[in-house]
């Protein structure tokens, strides 16, 4: 009796297969959503809720300003604490998407009476958007393949290290929201192409607007989509749907993008955006020809017309481009863009771009590190895509191939490739698993296969093969399935390990293993910035290499000469020149820039290798690029960079060397080594008797990582 | 007990103004002067000079240079405003004084008079070197001038020279022209070429040279002609003033009183110029003259009175500063027509001469250049004899806000027309297209 009673009660809850599938799908998505968020919280658990790296500090500072002063003041903000004495129009030289997003979240939370600090919002913005990206990935996968592929894509992208590297908690950078915006724009555009709906086209234009407001990487979108359209035109896949989708995106997207001050008229004037405009006009020509063809019944006449029209169109386009370029109305490509197309360009011409480690060409190991099995699944996915070509799969193939090329050119662009790689790999995984399970299930429940919809062709083929050699294939399928699950579980393990070991370090607080395996924390950066904040006059100007500029203004609240927004090469070169000159020459430069304090980062005591001495050659190169008195060979011995006794005399007496190694010669760093043994470079330094004339040591942090020097006033009696 | 307290407090409150009657930015004249001597005989032999100082209100304290009790500062406070070293032969100072202490004394804004002499000790030479002058290294060398010597009864060795090659500055030497030549007997020095602050107040004539008068000249003398400085002054960057001379006897009563006739000149002066020269220059050294102060720096937009935190490009602004000169007793308006203001960012964008109202107020107005950045109002007034005025005030200049640009530009009317006609045309076209059938 009771049995029937319970079953009666449960009856309304008993779901049909379709509903069950939906429930599973939704719960998987929910779990993935949560997983994507919590896997990015390692850094908060290990250290504390803080902003990481360099650029995020600027973003944090601007967000703080935005929440304190409101949008219009932010929009018009002239920041005189950076780039002394030039100043920086912050509102007009940044992509405000990230700050506005964080400020809106902050407002919303406060409206709901959650009294959170803006820092917490900033810290958690990137993980939150990573979670949203998984949802977009699901819908995107569903759009180009099926919902299974969508689910797998969501799972893969949730933990993919290539994406996590830029979206852990605290990594408050443009890329955090931009990858979401990028994928979302692509999804909406593909949706628009698939449906031919003006509404989806409009949505994709707004997605593009959000992307433009968030990151300079929008240039990728505005070049990839025209390229895609061009490929469709060439392959004869032109359709009204494509016409609607592209024109809507381009026209509205352009108008919207021009509202961002940093982009402005660049969108119609700069070389990077010309491809989109060219394709736009080509599209109109195509449409016009289509119409003429429709009107003209005579094919011969049409051929003639076509020839004339195409020649004229190409000629007019070419002349317009040529005149635009020659008159300077269309600006040429920027160095960054060149260096993407020609990986050696930056190295030869723009040292300031080449000096950034994330602009280096990618090593194979980092591909493996960031993609793991996706690297092998990617070609397989491409195979599946080619097997079932549609407008959507062509798009994802093109996205995958171009972004993979860019990922090979620059390390940081692995990030852009990650969604494509995840999606294509997801297709491979989903298609394989589906085929295999169909194979397994077909023997026992042949009848039920018919109910799984969507893959009728696959079913038919598997059914056909099933009939030929059943038992062997079933075992094989089992083995392959296990193999696939093993690989995927390895992927999950790898991703978690990479996240916790490599990508969760804030780089502002350093951690090392002590002699007994215990964790040693070096919090020298914050110590130094706090010192600056507490002990220097409010209007003091601090000179350091540009890497630390954002942090000094954000944490030390002091004016800096140069910072990470490397817009003025001459100013940076002046600092590079000061650092690589002899002290008295450097003093002249320092005085002319009204510098009060000089800050250097030194890793000789702790063995911290990304310090200023290791960056020094870039200072020489960048300085020498503008001031030819600085010559790189003066600092090298037989092309070799060294700091020990055999170092070049200019090296041993330049300001950077003196400031880094001042009083270091009398220090014992390691047992069994002579005093003045540099642990970062593993040598005994060459100049132990350093005397400073115009500067004096003001502060050195507990592990000597940051050293601050005060600039003395000129001699009183001379 | 209570009564005692009352007396204490009363006496302190009465004495306090006197105790504090020392050098301060408000009354820059020195008050307390320490005089270090080789022996106390100098007190009487140079009494005219000292009395002149005393009569102007200086509080002189005479000590032997090797007195073990002398000290320049106690508990971190300087006890004196100025130091006179009339001790050319001292080998070691007594007490805590050494060269470094004297240098610190100067670097913290105090004044110094150094008189060396023949056989000056290494210590005094070292003080000279720190102040930017190099005395002749030969200890027995003197300045000899066979043409510009002072005529005296006996022929002599021409080491008593009469010099009248003064620096041309009324601020340093006073408004009254010094008629009589200066009698000088002592050691010559050269100003260090690396030092840009040291000035020759009294130079030797072109025929002078520095050598030992008793021995025969075998090598060319190291110091010759007008490169030899007899009296030099330094005004340090912190406005401390220094006087260095190679003759102690030029301060003496004998030189003050004696008449002088320069060789080759017919005019015989009853009295040498020493007294006038050294008194006037001591007024300069002790900040009774040529000391400027700038107060009330004001700048604001034209038509406003409040000082803004930052300007906008193309703002019209007014700048005003009041400059006063210390006359020894009170602050008088400083009158000059060459005080310039720079609006400076790495280089001066605006350079304007300030107009004076002859009452100390200097002002100008100008338009902020069309360049944004962190500018400085800079007044760098460095005039011979005056303390250097170096005012700089940082002021950021911002670009226009988004809503500060001109709203409707006449030149753009064709574009407005194009935009609106396009909108209208689009509307009509859509209407016609949708509802034509």
């Amino acid at each position: 009796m009771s049995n029937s009673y319970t079953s009666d009660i449960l009856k309304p809850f008993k779901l049909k297969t379709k509903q069950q599938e939906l429930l599973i799908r939704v719960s998987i998505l929910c779990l993935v959503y949560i997983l994507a968020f919590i896997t990015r919280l390692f850094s908060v658990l290990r250290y504390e809720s803080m902003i990481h790296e360099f650029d995020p500090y600027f973003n944090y500072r601007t967000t703080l300003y935005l929440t304190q002063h409101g949008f219009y003041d932010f929009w018009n903000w002239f920041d005189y604490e950076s780039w002394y004495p030039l100043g920086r129009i912050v509102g007009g030289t940044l992509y405000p998407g990230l700050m506005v997003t964080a400020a809106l979240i902050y407002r919303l939370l406060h409206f709901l009476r959650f009294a959170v600090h803006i820092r917490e919002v900033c810290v958690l913005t990137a993980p939150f958007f990573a979670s949203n990206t998984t949802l977009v990935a699901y819908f995107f996968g569903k759009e180009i393949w099926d919902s299974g592929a969508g689910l797998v894509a969501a799972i893969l992208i949730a933990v993919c290290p290539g994406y996590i590297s830029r979206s852990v908690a605290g990594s408050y950078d443009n890329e955090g929201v931009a990858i979401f915006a990028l994928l979302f724009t692509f999804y909406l555009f593909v949706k628009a192409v698939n449906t031919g709906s003006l509404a989806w086209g409009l949505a994709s234009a707004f997605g593009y607007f959000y992307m433009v407001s968030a990151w300079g990487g929008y240039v990728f979108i505005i070049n990839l989509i025209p390229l895609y359209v061009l490929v469709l035109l060439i392959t004869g896949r032109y359709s009204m749907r494509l016409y609607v989708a592209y024109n809507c995106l381009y026209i509205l997207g352009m108008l919207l993008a021009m509202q961002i001050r940093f982009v402005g008229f660049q969108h119609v004037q700069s070389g990077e955006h010309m491809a989109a405009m060219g394709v736009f006009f080509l599209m109109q020509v195509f449409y016009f020809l289509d119409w003429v063809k429709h009107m003209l019944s005579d094919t011969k006449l049409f051929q003639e017309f076509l020839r004339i029209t195409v020649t004229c169109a190409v000629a007019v386009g070419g002349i317009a481009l040529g005149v635009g370029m020659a008159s300077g109305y269309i600006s040429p490509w920027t160095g960054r863009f060149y260096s993407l197309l020609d990986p050696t360009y930056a190295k030869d011409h723009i040292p300031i771009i080449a000096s950034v480690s994330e602009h280096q060409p990618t090593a194979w190991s980092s591909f493996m590190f960031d993609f793991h099995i996706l690297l092998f699944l990617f070609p397989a996915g491409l195979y599946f895509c080619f097997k079932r070509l549609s407008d959507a799969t062509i798009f994802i193939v093109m996205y995958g191939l171009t972004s993979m090329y860019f990922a090979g050119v620059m390390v940081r662009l692995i990030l852009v490739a990650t969604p494509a790689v995840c999606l294509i790999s997801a297709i491979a995984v989903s298609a394989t698993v589906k085929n295999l399970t169909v194979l397994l299930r077909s023997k026992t429940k042949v009848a039920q296969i018919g109910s799984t919809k969507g893959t009728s062709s696959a079913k038919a083929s598997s059914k056909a093969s099933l009939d030929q050699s059943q038992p062997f294939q079933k075992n094989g399928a089992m083995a392959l399935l296990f193999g696939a699950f093993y690989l995927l579980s390895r992927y999950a393990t790898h991703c978690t390990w990479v996240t916790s070991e490599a990508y969760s370090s804030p780089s502002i607080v350093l951690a090392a293993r002590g002699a007994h395996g215990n964790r040693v924390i070096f919090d020298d950066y914050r110590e130094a910035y706090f010192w600056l904040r507490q002990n220097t006059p409010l209007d003091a100007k601090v000179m350091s290499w540009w890497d630390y500029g954002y942090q000094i203004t954000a944490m030390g609240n002091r004016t800096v000469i140069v910072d990470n927004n490397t817009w003025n090469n001459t100013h940076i070169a002046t600092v590079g020149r000061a650092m690589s000159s002899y002290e008295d020459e450097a003093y002249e430069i320092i005085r002319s820039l009204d510098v009060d304090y000089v800050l250097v980062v030194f890793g000789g005591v702790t063995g911290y290798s990304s310090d200023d001495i290791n960056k020094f050659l870039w200072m020489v190169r960048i300085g020498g690029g503008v001031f030819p008195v600085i010559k790189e060979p003066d600092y090298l011995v037989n092309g070799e960079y060294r700091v020990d006794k055999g170092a070049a005399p200019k090296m041993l007496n330049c300001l950077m060397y003196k400031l880094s190694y001042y009083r270091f010669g009398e220090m014992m760093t390691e047992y069994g080594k002579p005093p003045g043994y540099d642990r970062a470079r593993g040598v005994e330094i060459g100049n132990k008797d350093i005397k400073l004339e115009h500067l004096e040591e003001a502060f050195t942090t507990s592990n000597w990582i940051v050293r601050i020097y005060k600039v003395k006033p000129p001699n009183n009696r001379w | 007990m209570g009564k005692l307290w009352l007396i204490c407090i009363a006496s302190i409150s009465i004495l306090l103004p006197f105790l504090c009657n020392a050098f301060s930015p408000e009354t820059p004249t020195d008050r307390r002067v320490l005089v270090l001597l080789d022996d106390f005989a100098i007190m009487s032999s140079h009494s005219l000079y000292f009395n002149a100082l005393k009569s102007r209100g200086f509080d002189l304290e005479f000590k032997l240079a090797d007195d073990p009790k002398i000290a320049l500062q106690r508990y971190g406070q300087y006890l004196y405003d100025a130091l006179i070293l009339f001790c050319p032969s001292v080998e070691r100072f007594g007490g805590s004084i050494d060269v470094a202490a004297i240098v610190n004394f100067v670097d913290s804004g105090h004044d110094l008079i150094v008189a060396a002499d023949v056989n000056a000790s290494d210590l005094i030479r070292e003080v000279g070197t720190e102040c930017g002058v190099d005395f002749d290294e030969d200890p027995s060398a003197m300045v000899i001038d066979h043409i510009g010597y002072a005529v005296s009864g006996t022929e002599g060795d021409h080491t008593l020279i009469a010099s009248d090659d003064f620096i041309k500055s009324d601020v340093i030497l006073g408004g009254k022209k010094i008629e009589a030549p200066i009698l000088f007997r002592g050691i010559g020095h050269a100003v260090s070429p690396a030092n840009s602050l040291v000035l020759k107040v009294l130079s030797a004539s072109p025929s002078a040279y520095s050598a030992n008068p008793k021995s025969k000249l075998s090598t060319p003398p190291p110091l010759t002609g007008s490169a030899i400085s007899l009296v030099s002054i330094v005004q340090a960057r912190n406005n401390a003033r220094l006087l260095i001379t190679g003759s102690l006897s030029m301060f003496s009563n004998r030189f003050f009183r004696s008449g002088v006739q320069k060789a080759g000149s017919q005019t015989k002066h009853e009295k040498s110029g020493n007294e006038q020269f050294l008194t006037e220059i001591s007024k300069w050294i002790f900040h009774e003259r040529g000391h400027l102060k700038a107060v009330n720096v004001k700048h604001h937009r034209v038509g406003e009175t409040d000082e803004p935190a930052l300007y906008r490009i193309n703002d019209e602004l007014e700048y005003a500063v009041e400059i006063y000169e210390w006359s020894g007793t009170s602050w008088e308006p400083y009158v000059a027509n060459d005080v310039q203001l720079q609006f400076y960012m790495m280089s001066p964008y605006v350079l304007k001469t300030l107009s004076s109202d002859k009452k100390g107020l200097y002002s100008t107005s100008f338009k902020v250049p069309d360049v944004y950045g962190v500018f400085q109002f800079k007044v760098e007034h460095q005039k011979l004899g005056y303390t250097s005025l170096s005012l700089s005030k940082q002021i950021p200049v911002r670009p226009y806000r988004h809503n500060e640009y001109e709203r409707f530009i006449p030149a753009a009317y064709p574009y407005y027309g194009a935009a609106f006609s396009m909108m209208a045309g689009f509307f009509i076209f859509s209407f016609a297209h949708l509802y034509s059938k």
Side-chain angles (χ1 to χ4, degrees), chain B residues 37 147 175 199 246 296 308 359 377 401:
Chain B
L37 306 169
I147 293 171
L199 294 170
N296 282 340
K359 288 174 189 151
F377 288 113
R401 284 172 69 93

Side-chain angles (χ1 to χ4, degrees), chain A residues 76 85 541 715-718, chain B residues 107 130 195 237 374 394 402:
Chain A
N76 290 305
K541 284 108 201 162
N715 193 313
N716 189 31
R717 284 161 283 111
W718 287 79
Chain B
D107 284 350
E130 287 291 338
N195 191 325
R237 288 182 207 277
V374 183
Q394 185 174 312
H402 70 282

Side-chain angles (χ1 to χ4, degrees), chain A residues 181-244:
Chain A
L182 177 89
L183 204 60
F184 197 50
T185 312
F186 282 155
Y187 164 65
L188 292 171
F189 180 70
V190 168
K191 191 90 183 169
V193 171
N194 277 350
T195 56
S197 143
L198 207 56
W200 285 112
L202 184 67
S204 70
F206 276 97
Y208 177 65
F209 172 59
Y210 186 56
M211 176 69 191
V212 175
S213 76
W215 194 34
Y218 77 88
V219 176
F220 179 61
I221 300 187
I222 204 61
N223 281 296
L224 177 64
I225 288 182
L227 188 67
Y228 165 68
V229 171
L230 198 65
V231 167
L232 287 195
L233 289 184
I234 289 166
T235 52
R237 284 173 166 269
Y238 170 78
S239 65
M240 210 48 211
R241 292 177 286 117
L242 184 68
Y243 183 82
V244 169

Side-chain angles (χ1 to χ4, degrees), chain A residues 390-635:
Chain A
S390 67
D391 289 354
T393 46
I394 290 178
F395 182 83
I396 195 70
V397 166
M398 289 195 55
Y399 174 25
L401 290 179
T402 47
S403 62
M404 262 318 228
Y405 167 73
F406 292 130
V409 175
M410 263 191 202
V411 178
R412 72 189 292 203
L413 292 181
I414 283 192
L415 181 71
V416 176
T418 305
V421 171
C422 285
L423 278 163
I424 293 175
S425 309
I427 290 172
V429 172
S430 170
T432 316
V433 171
K434 187 166 260 169
N435 287 348
L436 293 174
T437 44
V438 163
L439 219 62
L440 282 178
R441 289 155 70 103
S442 60
K443 195 202 164 194
T444 47
K445 288 179 183 177
V446 183
Q448 265 203 1
I449 295 168
S451 68
T452 55
K453 60 167 198 170
T455 55
S456 52
S457 63
K459 183 191 73 185
S461 63
S462 63
K463 218 175 193 176
S465 58
L466 199 67
D467 295 334
Q468 291 158 10
S469 55
Q470 262 184 7
F472 186 69
Q473 213 166 29
K474 192 191 157 194
N475 288 344
M478 274 300 248
L480 280 175
L481 260 184
F482 275 115
F485 283 117
Y486 175 73
L487 276 179
L488 286 174
S489 66
R490 295 302 309 163
Y491 172 74
T493 325
H494 171 83
C495 290
T496 318
W497 175 78
V498 167
T499 310
S500 92
E501 289 298 314
Y503 288 147
S504 292
S505 131
S507 92
I508 187 113
V509 177
L510 310 167
R513 296 252 173 247
H516 309 291
N518 53 327
R519 260 157 61 85
V520 186
I521 298 279
F522 300 130
D523 204 355
D524 286 40
Y525 279 108
R526 294 198 291 178
E527 186 186 347
Y529 299 142
F530 191 70
W531 184 88
L532 275 179
R533 192 180 200 115
Q534 298 290 322
N535 296 286
T536 59
L538 267 175
D539 60 347
K541 284 108 201 162
V542 183
M543 183 174 92
S544 71
W545 192 231
W546 59 264
D547 297 23
Y548 317 107
Y550 279 162
Q551 293 177 348
I552 295 171
T553 37
M555 278 189 276
N557 197 19
R558 293 294 174 266
T559 307
V560 293
I561 306 297
V562 292
D563 66 27
N564 309 46
N565 177 257
T566 52
W567 62 275
N568 188 328
N569 193 28
T570 315
H571 218 49
I572 291 181
T574 310
V575 173
R577 182 185 175 184
M579 293 296 192
S580 39
S581 302
Y582 293 125
E583 194 189 348
D584 43 353
E585 295 162 10
Y587 185 65
E588 301 276 307
I589 301 171
I590 286 172
R591 291 285 302 169
S592 74
L593 289 171
D594 296 334
V595 172
D596 300 304
Y597 291 89
V598 181
L599 181 148
V600 295
V601 170
F602 172 61
V605 178
T606 48
Y608 172 54
S609 62
S610 56
D611 65 351
D612 278 346
I613 287 286
N614 280 358
K615 288 173 187 169
F616 181 62
L617 272 191
W618 288 111
M619 300 181 203
V620 173
R621 270 174 216 155
I622 291 168
V626 176
F627 304 104
V629 285
I630 304 291
K631 296 184 197 68
E632 193 181 338
D634 291 350
Y635 300 86

